[in-house]
Amino acid sequence: MKLNGRTVLLKQDQTLAEFLLAERFDGRTIAVELNGVIVARAEYETTRLTDEDSLEIVSFVGGG
């Protein structure tokens, strides 16, 4: 699978929520695009990932 342009290995039958937890992403402060489509936070638990998927993850940064 591709994550922000780099290849990463998936565990078999992993959900997006499980992947984000394993990679230490805070699901409250990110936006996730899976194969060109934004994934709603409510769908993280039911979205299954495959080796052919491409994820783009961006973090929200505050400042001022």
Side-chain angles (χ1 to χ4, degrees), residues 12-63:
Q12 188 173 3
D13 199 35
Q14 195 170 33
T15 66
L16 177 56
E18 293 166 338
F19 177 79
L20 293 173
L21 183 64
E23 294 293 317
R24 300 177 189 218
F25 284 103
D26 182 349
R28 299 168 297 167
T29 62
I30 60 173
V32 178
E33 181 182 277
L34 175 61
N35 301 323
V37 178
I38 300 292
V39 181
R41 190 173 298 130
E43 297 175 359
Y44 289 3
E45 291 287 336
T46 58
T47 301
R48 299 261 175 223
L49 300 175
T50 69
D51 289 330
E52 292 79 32
D53 287 332
S54 178
L55 276 179
E56 292 292 327
I57 300 175
V58 294
S59 298
F60 302 113
V61 178

